[in-house]
Every structure is written in structure tokens, then in C-alpha cells.
Amino acid sequence: MLQQVPENINFPAEEEKILEFWTEFNCFQECLKQSKHKPKFTFYDGPPFATGLPHYGHILAGTIKDIVTRYAHQSGFHVDRRFGWDCHGLPVEYEIDKTLGIRGPEDVAKMGITEYNNQCRAIVMRYSAEWKSTVSRLGRWIDFDNDYKTLYPQFMESVWWVFKQLYDKGLVYRGVKVMPFSTACNTPLSNFESHQNYKDVQDPSVFVTFPLEEDETVSLVAWTTTPWTLPSNLAVCVNPEMQYVKIKDVARGRLLILMEARLSALYKLESDYEILERFPGAYLKGKKYRPLFDYFLKCKENGAFTVLVDNYVKEEEGTGVVHQAPYFGAEDYRVCMDFNIIRKDSLPVCPVDASGCFTTEVTDFAGQYVKDADKSIIRTLKEQGRLLVATTFTHSYPFCWRSDTPLIYKAVPSWFVRVENMVDQLLRNNDLCYWVPELVREKRFGNWLKDARDWTISRNRYWGTPIPLWVSDDFEEVVCIGSVAELEELSGAKISDLHRESVDHLTIPSRCGKGSLHRISEVFDCWFESGSMPYAQVHYPFENKREFEDAFPADFIAEGIDQTRGWFYTLLVLATALFGQPPFKNVIVNGLVLASDGQKMSKRKKNYPDPVSIIQKYGADALRLYLINSPVVRAENLRFKEEGVRDVLKDVLLPWYNAYRFLIQNVLRLQKEEEIEFLYNENTVRESPNITDRWILSFMQSLIGFFETEMAGFILWCLAWSSL
């Protein structure tokens, strides 16, 4: 029976009533139960970390996921919607390190890995209650009770299985490469992780001289923004095809050699120098120079302190003479290897400490430490007469995505997955996926795939899934374990947990007479775990084998554009390596939600309103509609403004409510004054001749038709995908 509609409405309060109704009648689970035998629409939910609270980016992606999966259910599909949690990795460890004041591996060793991991385990679900409360309050239907966590033993065992498949296919190797290295987290990062957090920084800009042995009055000039790497210099490199010049510096009276196209880097006016000779870079090949420091004079026997040539030297920056410290630069490492100046088992490194003393360790470097080292080296170079110019330089530089500290580049032994040899297949599989917007597939993601590098999957950390490799002391015998049962059989131990404290002590007998094999110390990059979630969440292939294979690839996923270099990428790499096909059919990519001033939202700056307060003030529907009706759903960025949510309430929801109230008022008046019961019967309804009525009905049907066409695009693509 129709009731009088009040003049005023509190939308958040009305939403709470709906939520209570859903809870009382267990509506979500009932829908799943009723659709159980219908065709499946598979959805993967990317796992967030529960060490932080949900933000607007999570709310936006969650809204997109909720809309699509609800529509799929209403279109006759069964849609499992499992929430997932990323429980391992740097985000958790970094919090523990800060809390306990842990500064390096020595502190963890004193505490013991068991206690350290217990501390990590205690905080991984710190904000899980807040997550469940916020996500549920937003009206999203998602299964928290049947969730997946990357710390579950079953999940970890499936990750081991994934790795073993790659290992057996020859896609895993151990190598020494110059990698992005987080000094705060004391571990190498993968190339895609290093691209997630660039900042404009001001660094030293120094021009250093390298006097030629054949004539020490003539010096090569090199430029660097990392003076702390100069003690490890083993060579300089020039471009063999570019034009170089020998000049006389008018003010200094010195004879210098650099690329002609880069004279402007040192001089403002042509009158500041006199060109004495011109020659190609190849002319300089093999010339010897006097080392900056004498720490690696022994390397001279292998050709160190020589001019090398390579086309990677460009004319866009510096002097065209590039200082080579192979321990700290990928190109430096490659070029010095090409010229046999270094070997993989012998990488000279000699950074400087804050007092000006030279050490052989780099793992203790932190941001301030490097700055102090730079100052010490610049001072030393000046005293030796090798410093030509010292200024500062503003440029974009990578920071650790977790600790927000500057990365350094360092040669470290790591375990890799071969990606470079599957780039063509990655591109083909990417073309099979339907992207919204399509431009992301072709440009941002496609271009990233074209330049994909082998993936560093090992982390020198503790709280994560251990890499299941047992090796001999000389690394010549390697056994890869792919299941708990296999490890129990080979080690003779009963296993209930797979974390380091439970498996590090286990040994495997050598089959080659090398004694006992021990597990390597590294754990998996947590992105390897999240990329394995399609298989690990259902404990494939140990359980649910047929169910998984019938429902793979996923029909739909959705996350932020930052995941083009994160979860989207790792999903695609692993699915391509395992099955030769993409892991998903459809993906919606949203842009980033920024503060109103265009800056990144920051708790420290307090430059955005708390999401919970916005929901309490305006309601979840207003917030969801504001986000979903913005350019952010087309992978563009959104400057979040509270007044935008308010305007949705004022301009959309309230007019709708008042129109509904007006209708009900007239229905009640009709029943009271005309004694006519207002019941709609589609069999007796007559077409209205009123032009306004006809326009309203036409507009409504056009809207419904447009919505159904757009939303059904996903469903129809899914049905057609398997035949492609």
C-alpha cells in the first residue's frame, strides 16, 4: 500500500535501511544460491593490502566492479565475487621495520626470522574490519567470508606450482644485473616497480676531467649526477659515430675533449672556447687516461681506465663522454662486459662514506648518506684538480614505491623470469583482450609490453612466499619444488606452513654427491603472488581443476591505470607463460583520483576529505554516481571535489526524489478523491495521446536501450571470445 512520502529525505539514513534489509535476508548469498546452476561469468578481484585504509581509488574501482558484476548477474549469469588480500611483501615489512627500528639484516638476525614474521603476520589484517565496513557501506556486493589471502598455505602452494612450471620450461635463471635497489627496504626491485614513483629532485651536477696518459695536458670531460659512484669508475664511453672536438678553455687555459654537440653544456658563449681539432668518437677508442682514484689499479690489467665506444651515448645530455661505473649502471655494466673489463664474478665497487673514507659496502646507503658521500667526493676531486664544474641539476628520478626513498642502481645476484623472449606472444594476447578505454591497450600497456624486460622475481626479504629452490653450495645442482607433497617426500618432514621459518631449515639430499641441498634465502616479489591469484585463489591444480579450467580466462577485471605496470602486467606474463593465453577477456581501466589541487592525495598534507565522512554526509549513491559519471572512468585523472558529490545530491538525487514524491502525492489524491486504485496493468494500459507522455516514455526507452546496448557489450564479447 502506498504511503505518504515525507517532504525531506536523509539519503544516508535511507541507504542504511537498505543495507539492513540486505543483511536481514542475506540477499547477496541468496542471489548466488539461486544463480548457482546458470552459466558462469568469471571475475577476478585484485588484492589490496589491509595495512592501509581504503581510499577513493579503491572506491572508484570497486564501484565499476560492482556495476558490471551486478549487471552480469541480472543478465542470467552466476558471478562469484571473492574479496582478496595481499598479505606479503614490502608494504608489511616496511611498517614493521619502522615500528621496531629495524635498520638491516643484522637486526632481523638478532630478532630471528620466526619472531620477525610473527610481527608481520600480526599486522597484515590490521584494517580488515574497516575495509569490510567501508566496502559494505558503499553497497558493493562482494564475498568477504570466502576471501583469499596470499598467506594461506594453499595459496602459497599454488604459487610454488606456478613457479615450477616456469622453471621446467626454462624460463627461470639466476643472473647478476644492475637493478633498481631500495636502500630503505634493502632489496632489489623489478623494472616495472621502479617506474611507479618518479619525482623531480635536485641532484649534484659535476663535470670531471680525465687526463690522457699520452698527454696529460689534454683531458676528457665527463658529466654525472651521482658523484658517489666515481670511486668505482673503470672506463669512459664515447659514441664512435658522433663528432668530438679538442678545445682550449679560454678562461681556464685547459685543453679539453668532449662531443661538439654538447659544448653548450659547459659554455654559454662560443668565445669561451677555441676549437683546435675535430674527429669522430672512434678516434678516441682505446686511449688510456689517468684514474680518478687508485683503488682499482689492478683492473688496468683487464683494460680498465680506457676509452670505450658504444652507440648508447647520446647527444641530448652531458658531454658525450660517459663515466662508467659498472656496478651502478645497466649500460655501464653491459659495455664493460663487452670489452672484458669486468667479469660477472668480479664487480669492483668502492663507494665513499660520510666521513670521506672509502668502503666496499653499498647496502647501508640511504638518501642522506649518499648526499654526504657526494659532498666528500666533490671536495676530494676539487683538491685533486679534477673537478671542472659543480652545480645542481633538477630531473625526474625513481623512488621506492613503498618507502618513498630514492632508489640506487646496483648490480646484485637475483632470480629472473624470462620475459623478453615472449614479448611477441604477450602483444598477441593483449590484442585478444577488450580494453576500456582501448587507447590504454594500444599505447600505455602495449608500449610497455614492447619494451618488457626480464622480471626480477626474488626479494632479499623475509615475509613472503619462499622461492622453492634447493641448491648446492656451488649452485650447480638445483631442485625446484612444486608442491608440499614433493617437499615432504624429499625432506622427510611434515609441513603445515610454507613461510621461511617453517622451510628454511629443511634440506634435500643431493643426487650428485654434493651433500645436502639448502633453500636459497630469497622470497617472491609480492607481484608474483598477486599475478598468480587466478590459480592460487582456488588452489589450482591441487583442487578445483576442472572448475578453474572451465572458467579461465576471467570474463572481467577492473583496476586503476597504475596497474598497467603492476597487476595487469604480471597477470598477463604468467598466463602467457603457463597457458599461452591472456588471463582476462575484458578490462576497464580507471584514471587516478587526485586531490582538488591536482596533487596526489596525501594523509600527511590532509588535502582531501575522508571518504567515510563523505558517505555519512551525502550517501554512498551520491559518491558512486559522482565518480562513475566523471572522466576518471575513461582512464583520465579526476580532481576530487566535495562540492561535486554535493551537486550530484542537489542536481540528480533530490530532483528525482521530488518527482517521485509529486507522483505519489497525485496517486494518493486520485485514490482519495476519485476512489480509483492506482494499479498498473500492462494488458489494459492504453497509449496516451498526450505529447508529453509520449516524449517521457520515448526518452525512458531510449535510455534503457542505450544502457542495455553498452552493458551487454561486455556480455556479448565474453560469449564471442571463446570462438576467436
Side-chain angles (χ1 to χ4, degrees):
M1 184 176 179
L2 288 172
Q3 301 291 329
Q4 182 69 47
V5 177
E7 183 175 350
N8 297 312
I9 183 173
N10 183 322
F11 282 104
E14 292 298 319
E15 291 173 355
E16 294 283 2
K17 294 177 185 177
I18 297 296
L19 292 172
E20 290 174 5
F21 177 87
W22 287 351
T23 301
E24 181 182 355
F25 292 97
N26 202 16
C27 292
F28 175 44
Q29 293 300 329
E30 281 299 316
C31 283
L32 291 177
K33 188 185 301 182
Q34 291 176 17
S35 65
K36 188 173 183 179
H37 299 294
K38 292 182 178 180
K40 280 194 173 184
F41 182 89
T42 310
F43 161 68
Y44 296 155
D45 200 18
F49 290 99
T51 50
L53 293 168
H55 53 64
Y56 289 105
H58 297 121
I59 292 171
L60 168 63
T63 300
I64 294 172
K65 297 170 187 178
D66 195 46
I67 290 171
V68 173
T69 52
R70 280 178 183 268
Y71 186 82
H73 169 79
Q74 293 166 5
S75 300
F77 290 86
H78 176 77
V79 190
D80 282 321
R81 283 154 272 184
R82 298 180 66 190
F83 201 83
W85 303 99
D86 218 336
C87 303
H88 289 146
L90 293 181
V92 181
E93 291 198 34
Y94 187 66
E95 291 297 318
I96 291 299
D97 290 353
K98 283 196 303 182
T99 301
L100 301 181
I102 292 174
R103 300 179 62 84
E106 298 79 9
D107 293 339
V108 178
K110 291 177 184 175
M111 173 187 290
I113 293 178
T114 300
E115 178 57 25
Y116 183 85
N117 279 357
N118 284 340
Q119 293 285 340
C120 291
R121 187 179 281 104
I123 71 162
V124 291
M125 301 303 291
R126 180 165 57 190
Y127 294 115
S128 59
E130 288 85 347
W131 270 88
K132 185 173 182 179
S133 173
T134 300
V135 171
S136 299
R137 179 61 187 85
L138 284 160
R140 184 182 174 194
W141 279 6
I142 188 78
D143 194 344
F144 283 100
D145 296 329
N146 186 33
D147 64 3
Y148 70 88
K149 294 185 177 75
T150 60
L151 59 70
Y152 288 157
Q154 299 94 327
F155 191 102
M156 297 169 70
E157 184 179 28
S158 290
V159 172
W160 277 16
W161 174 84
V162 169
F163 180 73
K164 184 171 174 58
Q165 306 314 298
L166 304 186
Y167 183 85
D168 289 347
K169 292 181 178 184
L171 296 176
V172 176
Y173 68 95
R174 183 176 187 261
V176 178
K177 289 189 178 182
V178 175
M179 300 297 302
F181 191 90
S182 171
T183 55
C185 298
N186 196 43
T187 190
L189 303 180
S190 61
N191 283 322
F192 67 81
E193 284 178 296
S194 70
H195 282 76
Q196 292 183 331
N197 188 18
Y198 268 81
K199 295 184 179 184
D200 287 337
V201 296
Q202 194 172 56
D203 277 329
S205 170
V206 299
F207 293 81
V208 183
T209 61
F210 294 84
L212 296 177
E213 281 190 355
E214 65 186 43
D215 183 356
E216 292 199 3
T217 65
V218 181
S219 296
L220 298 155
V221 181
W223 171 75
T224 183
T225 59
T226 55
W228 60 272
T229 66
L230 288 170
S232 296
N233 170 267
L234 290 185
V236 295
C237 189
V238 299
N239 188 308
E241 299 172 3
M242 293 289 184
Q243 184 93 325
Y244 285 75
V245 291
K246 181 168 81 171
I247 65 168
K248 181 178 180 180
D249 185 307
V250 174
R252 300 177 180 88
R254 303 182 67 171
L255 301 180
L256 307 173
I257 294 176
L258 66 159
M259 188 185 288
E260 184 172 10
R262 296 305 303 158
L263 284 167
S264 59
L266 266 178
Y267 303 103
K268 293 182 179 179
L269 303 173
E270 291 185 9
S271 58
D272 292 340
Y273 58 87
E274 177 187 355
I275 296 179
L276 304 178
E277 293 181 45
R278 286 185 172 89
F279 40 81
Y283 170 77
L284 298 169
K285 180 180 178 181
K287 289 187 180 293
K288 302 288 185 178
Y289 64 84
R290 183 156 55 86
L292 286 170
F293 303 96
D294 58 6
Y295 299 99
F296 299 112
L297 290 179
K298 287 184 179 180
C299 294
K300 203 167 184 180
E301 300 170 3
N302 299 325
F305 313 119
T306 303
V307 180
L308 311 180
V309 293
D310 193 274
N311 287 322
Y312 96 86
V313 179
K314 304 300 181 186
E315 61 179 354
E316 284 75 26
E317 64 180 14
T319 65
V321 179
V322 181
H323 138 66
Q324 306 288 288
Y327 198 89
F328 301 113
E331 293 291 359
D332 307 28
Y333 178 82
R334 178 184 62 79
V335 172
C336 288
M337 285 284 291
D338 288 346
F339 283 87
N340 298 313
I341 290 175
I342 59 170
R343 302 187 310 273
K344 285 187 177 181
D345 58 348
S346 178
L347 283 171
V349 52
C350 186
V352 63
D353 68 17
S355 65
C357 299
F358 296 99
T359 71
T360 56
E361 295 297 326
V362 73
T363 53
D364 293 331
F365 264 54
Q368 186 59 45
Y369 189 84
V370 168
K371 289 179 181 178
D372 292 339
D374 282 340
K375 292 177 183 177
S376 297
I377 290 177
I378 291 172
R379 183 174 62 249
T380 301
L381 293 173
K382 188 174 182 180
E383 292 170 355
Q384 294 176 351
R386 302 290 291 270
L387 181 67
L388 197 65
V389 177
T391 59
T392 57
F393 177 72
T394 300
H395 61 145
S396 184
Y397 192 82
F399 278 60
C400 176
W401 65 277
R402 184 64 253 170
S403 64
D404 209 31
T405 55
L407 299 176
I408 65 170
Y409 285 80
K410 173 187 173 185
V412 287
S414 302
W415 291 88
F416 296 85
V417 167
R418 300 184 194 277
V419 177
E420 294 168 25
N421 63 351
M422 67 170 87
V423 166
D424 290 343
Q425 195 173 6
L426 290 172
L427 290 168
R428 285 195 297 271
N429 284 340
N430 183 43
D431 287 340
L432 292 174
C433 304
Y434 182 66
W435 287 74
V436 178
E438 189 174 1
L439 188 66
V440 176
R441 177 185 67 185
E442 298 171 355
K443 298 296 183 183
R444 185 181 176 100
F445 194 56
N447 289 340
W448 176 253
L449 292 178
K450 289 175 185 175
D451 294 326
R453 295 291 176 263
D454 289 353
W455 176 9
T456 323
I457 57 165
S458 58
R459 295 293 178 269
N460 302 337
R461 299 300 305 182
Y462 311 95
W463 177 241
T465 298
I467 296 179
L469 292 174
W470 270 255
V471 301
S472 58
D473 292 342
D474 57 10
F475 280 86
E476 289 185 1
E477 184 178 359
V478 180
V479 174
C480 182
I481 301 296
S483 68
V484 170
E486 185 180 0
L487 181 57
E488 288 182 339
E489 179 184 350
L490 292 175
S491 68
K494 188 67 178 174
I495 299 163
S496 58
D497 180 67
L498 295 181
H499 288 92
R500 283 194 61 178
E501 62 271 24
S502 300
V503 300
D504 276 8
H505 65 282
L506 300 178
T507 60
I508 294 174
S510 169
R511 296 171 182 170
C512 306
K514 291 181 178 288
S516 296
L517 307 185
H518 299 267
R519 198 192 72 81
I520 63 173
S521 61
E522 293 93 335
V523 299
F524 280 112
D525 169 14
C526 61
W527 290 100
F528 190 92
E529 295 179 298
S530 58
S532 301
M533 65 77 55
Y535 333 104
Q537 69 166 340
V538 293
H539 198 208
Y540 179 86
F542 308 101
E543 297 180 75
N544 307 302
K545 192 172 188 294
R546 181 176 178 181
E547 291 86 343
F548 166 78
E549 292 172 356
D550 288 345
F552 183 82
D555 293 305
F556 169 66
I557 65 170
E559 295 294 344
I561 196 166
D562 52 328
Q563 296 304 323
T564 53
R565 295 177 180 178
W567 192 51
F568 297 154
Y569 176 70
T570 59
L571 281 174
L572 183 62
V573 167
L574 293 182
T576 300
L578 290 171
F579 303 113
Q581 64 184 102
F584 50 82
K585 304 172 187 177
N586 301 280
V587 53
I588 295 179
V589 185
N590 61 262
L592 302 180
V593 183
L594 305 175
S596 59
D597 60 0
Q599 300 297 309
K600 185 178 179 180
M601 289 187 172
S602 167
K603 292 180 183 177
R604 180 176 54 83
K605 294 179 181 178
K606 297 181 179 179
N607 59 354
Y608 66 95
D610 175 46
V612 174
S613 67
I614 291 293
I615 296 169
Q616 292 173 342
K617 189 173 183 179
Y618 303 104
D621 282 342
L623 175 57
R624 284 168 58 122
L625 188 53
Y626 168 68
L627 293 172
I628 210 70
N629 195 44
S630 75
V632 78
V633 298
R634 296 188 294 275
E636 299 175 26
N637 291 343
L638 169 68
R639 295 189 178 194
F640 185 89
K641 297 180 180 179
E642 181 176 343
E643 51 267 35
V645 184
R646 181 202 62 200
D647 289 347
V648 168
L649 194 72
K650 178 171 65 73
D651 299 334
V652 179
L653 297 182
L654 279 174
W656 167 82
Y657 176 76
N658 288 330
Y660 174 70
R661 180 169 171 269
F662 177 75
L663 170 66
I664 298 303
Q665 285 176 331
N666 281 278
V667 167
L668 293 174
R669 182 184 61 79
L670 181 69
Q671 292 180 168
K672 181 178 180 181
E673 297 178 3
E674 306 291 336
E675 296 183 349
I676 298 175
E677 188 175 11
F678 186 78
L679 291 174
Y680 178 77
N681 186 334
E682 63 179 13
N683 296 318
T684 60
V685 69
R686 290 175 297 177
E687 186 175 319
S688 172
N690 185 287
I691 189 67
T692 303
D693 286 349
R694 293 166 67 89
W695 177 83
I696 290 172
L697 291 171
S698 173
F699 195 91
M700 180 187 71
Q701 291 301 327
S702 296
L703 174 62
I704 292 172
F706 171 77
F707 176 80
E708 288 181 342
T709 299
E710 292 295 309
M711 292 300 294
F714 271 108
I715 308 302
L716 293 174
W717 173 259
C718 293
L719 294 175
W721 194 90
S722 59
S723 64
L724 294 178

